[in-house]
């Protein structure tokens, strides 16, 4: 049932008449469309014809050819969709999210999820479909000089994973790899959740290794194909200016328009990577879930809510950690390489793929995987200021002289409870900013970044502007606060890992923080109890913690830091 319903929705996405969505571009609207289809579509009618509908649209491109082949899409008359038509409001929504694209600084085909992230719908649904088909394995020919297949010729060697995870044998599979298993396709990386892995040493070398012989359909239609195509020579992201570009919605309550912050953004925006990773994660889950599978609307409601099957770690807030645990850099690089080989043999051939050697394809796969693994999976998810509703900066910000040599750790003290979801964390950010601007008469929220317990980092003054977090030292280091009072208790492990590992390692890689940076608690530089006894004791065990510093002399009450105030007010002490 789920597979048929998904294909119906995908077909409606592609065949709906032009118009403007009357529903807000929210993930809950997509889930609503799925739920409506699940109520209307009988399983007997949904299961056979619907599998052709995803790529029956008039649009074309390399990713469409890949979808056609890997997801077994064939042409289908749109009239066959009539019995399963959605309400006019949902029809308008499906038109808006039909295809992912970037044009004139605006991103299309994306929706706002409850966790505050923006998600591209197309790769999400493609991943769900690949998972429902059983995560098929495609056996590739080994001959790198073989001509692309002729139009109308069936490409060989498609197999579903057998119950034991092995590719079943088939007659005439000249280049089948008999030992490909699910473990090979989705292998956990030991360092996936502790920082950016060292991927260079383990990435493919075409001079030393043979080309890949198999392609995992799930990875191909979500991540591998688009990573490879985007990093081809001459593509916009060759110097990686736009990988993971963020953007701003026109409004958060009823979003309709999403504009990117980087005008150079490639198609591999943050929203696309989120959707592709979600499609990969949920497709993998569906491929391993026996019948009867949960309805797609229920699965997405859980994943973008409290967690799949009640697991709070299995939700969109932690997609990067989950995705890193499901694959590894070597496996992903091989899949990017293999998908490019497959695209060389699908008509029409992408012009930049024609006559490319295996060595060249391997280098593209290496570059793409390294950038994705380090700049996306190896970095924390940061909500930009517009996402939490920041007020404008008052005055003119002072630029930092990068890279900086210090990371100063704070707790907010007030708000005292940790924020566990986007709505609460965003409200806390706005509350702190109002206090800093209106009561303290500062130009902006004082912190460089604020870490929630919802899996996200919230941009304050950011990487490039001097903050107001550590009196006398604001221009020398970044001030990072964790929402909550950590006098007697510790933050969540995810929040600690963000401050200890992923945020600084990402900043070092980007040239924003020196590799030999020193990590200090606020109390080491200013007379205050911040960041709380429990958290400070934890900091003392971290690798970059530096104990040999001198506390600044006491100042007047109006200038110096004080002990934390009553919970009735927000703390100036942590921010001066």
């Amino acid at each position: 049932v789920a597979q048929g319903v998904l294909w119906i929705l995908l077909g409606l996405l592609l065949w709906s008449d032009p118009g403007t969505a009357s529903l807000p571009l929210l993930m809950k609207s997509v889930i609503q469309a799925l739920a409506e289809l699940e109520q209307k579509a009988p399983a007997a009618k949904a299961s056979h014809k619907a599998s052709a509908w995803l790529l029956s649209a008039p649009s074309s491109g390399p990713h469409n050819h890949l979808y056609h082949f890997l997801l077994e899409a064939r042409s289908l008359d749109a009239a066959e969709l009539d019995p399963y038509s959605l309400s006019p409001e949902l029809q308008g929504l499906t038109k808006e999210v039909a295809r992912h694209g970037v044009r004139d600084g605006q991103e299309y085909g994306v929706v706002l999820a409850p966790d505050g992230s923006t998600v591209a719908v197309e790769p999400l649904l493609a991943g769900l479909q690949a998972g429902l088909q059983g995560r098929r394995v495609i056996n590739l020919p080994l001959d790198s000089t073989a001509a692309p297949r002729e139009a109308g010729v069936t490409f060989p060697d498609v197999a579903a994973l057998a119950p034991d995870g092995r590719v079943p044998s088939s007659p005439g599979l000249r280049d089948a790899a008999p030992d490909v298993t699910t473990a090979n396709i989705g292998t956990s990386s030991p360092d996936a959740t502790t920082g950016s892995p060292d991927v260079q040493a383990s990435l493919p070398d075409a001079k030393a290794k043979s080309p890949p012989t198999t392609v995992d359909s799930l990875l191909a239609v979500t991540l591998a194909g688009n990573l490879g195509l985007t990093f081809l020579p001459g593509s916009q992201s060759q110097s990686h200016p736009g990988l993971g570009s963020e953007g701003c919605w026109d409004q958060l309550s009823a979003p309709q328009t999403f504009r990117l912050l980087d005008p150079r953004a490639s198609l591999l925006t943050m929203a696309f990577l989120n959707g592709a990773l979600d499609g990969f994660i949920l497709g993998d889950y569906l491929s391993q879930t026996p019948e009867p599978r949960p309805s797609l609307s229920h699965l997405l409601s859980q994943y973008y809510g409290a967690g799949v099957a009640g697991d709070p770690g299995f939700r969109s807030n932690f997609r990067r950690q989950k995705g890193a645990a499901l694959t590894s850099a070597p496996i992903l690089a091989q899949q990017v390489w293999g998908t490019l080989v497959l695209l060389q043999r699908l008509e029409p051939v992408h012009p930049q793929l024609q006559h490319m050697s295996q060595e060249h394809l391997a280098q593209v796969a290496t570059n793409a995987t390294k950038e994705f693994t380090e700049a996306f999976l190896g970095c924390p998810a940061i909500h930009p200021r517009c996402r939490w509703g920041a007020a404008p900066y008052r005055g003119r910000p002072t630029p930092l002289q990068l890279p900086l040599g210090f990371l100063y750790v704070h707790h907010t003290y007030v708000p005292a409870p940790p924020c566990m979801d986007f709505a609460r964390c965003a409200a806390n950010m706005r509350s702190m900013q109002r206090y800093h601007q209106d009561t303290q008469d500062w130009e902006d929220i004082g912190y460089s970044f604020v870490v929630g317990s919802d899996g996200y980092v919230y941009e304050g003054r950011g990487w490039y502007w001097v903050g107001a977090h550590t009196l006398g030292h604001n221009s020398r280091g970044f001030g990072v606060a964790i929402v909550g009072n950590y006098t007697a208790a510790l933050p969540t492990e995810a929040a600690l890992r963000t401050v200890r590992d992923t945020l600084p390692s990402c900043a070092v890689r980007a040239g924003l923080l020196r590799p030999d940076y020193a990590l200090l608690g606020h109390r080491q530089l200013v007379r205050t109890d911040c960041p709380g006894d429990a958290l400070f004791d934890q900091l003392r065990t971290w690798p970059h913690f530096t104990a040999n510093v001198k506390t600044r002399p006491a100042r007047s009450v109006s200038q110096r830091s004080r002990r934390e105030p009553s919970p009735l007010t927000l703390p100036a002490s942590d921010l001066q």
Side-chain angles (χ1 to χ4, degrees):
V1 178
Q3 184 171 349
V5 166
L6 178 60
W7 281 116
I8 293 172
L9 177 60
L10 291 168
L12 288 168
L13 293 181
L14 299 172
W15 284 109
S16 48
D17 295 330
T20 301
S22 57
L23 290 175
L25 296 181
L26 296 168
M27 181 58 71
K28 69 177 183 180
S29 301
V30 175
I31 295 172
Q32 181 183 347
L34 278 168
E36 187 169 315
L37 284 170
E38 287 162 349
Q39 293 176 350
K40 291 183 177 181
K45 295 183 179 180
S47 58
H48 299 291
K49 298 177 181 178
S51 63
W53 293 353
L54 172 59
L55 297 171
S56 301
S59 59
S60 62
H63 69 289
N64 293 322
H65 306 319
L66 196 64
Y67 288 176
H68 268 287
F69 176 68
L70 294 179
L71 301 182
E72 298 181 327
R74 294 174 293 275
S75 61
L76 183 73
D77 191 336
E80 296 186 51
L81 300 173
D82 289 344
Y84 312 111
S85 59
L86 294 168
S87 65
E89 294 80 10
L90 290 176
Q91 285 276 8
L93 170 79
T94 58
K95 183 266 174 185
E96 292 295 321
V97 298
R99 285 288 186 203
H100 178 260
V102 174
R103 296 186 300 277
D104 301 323
Q106 186 171 334
E107 188 169 8
Y108 299 87
V110 298
V111 295
L112 179 63
D115 66 351
S117 64
T118 302
V119 179
V121 176
E122 183 182 2
L124 166 64
L125 297 181
L128 291 173
Q129 178 58 24
L132 288 169
Q133 288 184 347
R135 196 165 183 178
R136 297 155 62 244
V137 172
I138 313 302
N139 296 293
L140 296 173
L142 289 175
D143 183 5
S144 63
T145 62
R149 69 186 182 94
E150 296 178 357
V153 177
T154 302
F155 195 85
D157 306 353
V158 179
L161 288 175
D164 63 357
R166 295 183 179 274
V167 180
S169 60
S170 300
L173 301 191
R174 177 170 59 90
D175 298 312
D179 294 326
V180 175
T181 67
T182 35
N184 291 15
I185 292 172
T187 303
S188 297
S189 174
D191 299 325
T193 60
T194 59
S196 178
D198 181 10
V199 300
Q200 189 62 48
S202 57
L203 291 179
D205 180 357
K207 293 181 179 179
K209 296 185 178 180
S210 300
T213 58
T214 59
V215 170
D216 170 18
S217 62
L218 176 58
L219 271 172
V221 299
T222 52
L223 289 167
N226 288 282
L227 277 172
L229 289 173
T230 303
F231 279 78
L232 287 175
S235 64
Q236 187 178 11
S237 67
Q238 185 64 15
S239 58
H240 321 313
L243 178 67
S245 295
E246 263 290 5
C248 295
W249 288 99
D250 54 342
Q251 54 179 317
L252 296 179
S253 57
Q256 293 289 348
T257 303
F258 188 73
R259 301 202 66 85
L260 293 163
L261 295 172
D262 185 352
R264 306 171 300 163
S266 71
L267 287 174
L268 292 184
T269 61
M270 191 66 68
F272 183 88
L273 293 175
N274 287 340
L277 197 55
D278 290 349
F280 170 58
I281 292 168
L282 293 175
D284 176 78
Y285 175 80
L286 287 170
S287 72
Q288 300 183 56
T289 302
E291 297 284 1
R293 295 187 177 104
S295 68
L296 294 179
S297 61
H298 181 68
L299 177 62
L300 293 183
S301 295
Q302 288 188 325
Y303 181 73
Y304 294 106
V308 175
D311 179 3
F314 193 175
R315 54 186 172 133
S316 56
N317 305 58
F318 302 102
R319 59 169 63 88
R320 299 190 192 203
Q321 296 90 325
K322 188 73 173 177
L326 287 176
T327 190
S328 65
I331 294 299
L332 180 58
Q334 285 287 321
Q335 290 300 310
V336 173
W337 187 1
T339 304
L340 292 176
V341 171
L342 176 60
L343 285 168
Q344 278 188 322
R345 291 159 172 78
L346 294 179
E347 295 285 357
V349 179
H350 190 287
Q352 290 171 276
L353 284 172
Q354 290 182 345
H355 313 301
M356 285 186 69
S357 67
Q358 291 302 315
E359 183 178 355
H360 204 167
L361 292 179
Q363 189 59 52
V364 170
T366 295
N367 294 340
T369 301
K370 186 175 188 297
E371 187 71 9
F372 172 77
T373 304
E374 294 182 354
F376 183 72
L377 289 185
C379 289
I382 301 177
H383 282 319
R385 292 168 59 86
C386 61
R387 197 65 51 80
W388 55 266
Y393 193 96
R394 295 177 182 175
R396 178 174 297 180
T398 302
L400 289 165
Q401 300 300 311
L402 302 170
L404 302 184
F406 295 90
L407 189 69
Y408 310 130
V409 179
H410 303 249
H411 69 171
T412 62
Y413 190 75
V414 176
C419 63
M420 306 302 294
D421 57 60
F422 171 70
R424 175 52 54 193
C425 292
N428 287 346
M429 291 295 293
R430 294 190 296 270
S431 175
M432 287 186 286
Q433 187 189 39
R434 283 194 300 269
Y435 179 79
H436 299 163
Q437 288 185 321
D438 297 341
T439 303
Q440 296 298 102
D441 198 27
W442 296 347
E443 295 170 325
D444 197 5
I445 188 171
Y447 305 114
S448 305
F449 294 96
V450 177
V451 178
S453 294
D454 63 336
Y456 287 98
V457 176
Y458 291 76
E459 181 186 21
R461 300 207 189 185
W463 296 119
Y464 302 103
W465 310 112
V466 175
H469 44 76
T470 311
L471 182 64
H473 300 268
N474 292 316
S475 63
R476 303 179 63 198
F478 297 107
V480 179
I482 304 178
V483 176
N485 175 0
Y486 299 109
T487 302
L490 283 174
T492 63
E493 178 55 35
L496 290 172
R497 185 169 58 243
T498 295
V499 179
R500 181 187 63 228
D501 300 320
T502 55
L503 186 66
S505 67
C506 188
V508 168
R509 179 186 183 273
L512 303 167
L513 190 64
R514 293 206 302 262
D516 62 345
Y517 74 92
L519 184 142
L520 303 173
H522 187 198
R523 64 172 62 180
Q524 293 177 267
L525 299 172
V526 178
R527 292 186 179 177
T528 175
D529 289 341
C530 178
D533 291 343
L535 179 53
F536 184 70
D537 287 343
Q538 183 73 202
L539 299 185
R540 293 161 69 105
T541 68
W542 291 2
H544 282 266
F545 178 79
T546 302
N548 297 324
V549 294
K550 294 182 179 179
T551 305
R552 293 178 59 85
R555 296 174 179 265
S556 66
V557 173
S558 61
Q559 293 178 316
R560 68 177 170 85
S561 177
R562 302 176 296 275
R563 292 180 62 86
E564 277 83 38
S566 159
L568 297 177
T569 62
L570 287 165
S573 59
D574 290 4
L575 303 165
Q576 290 185 326

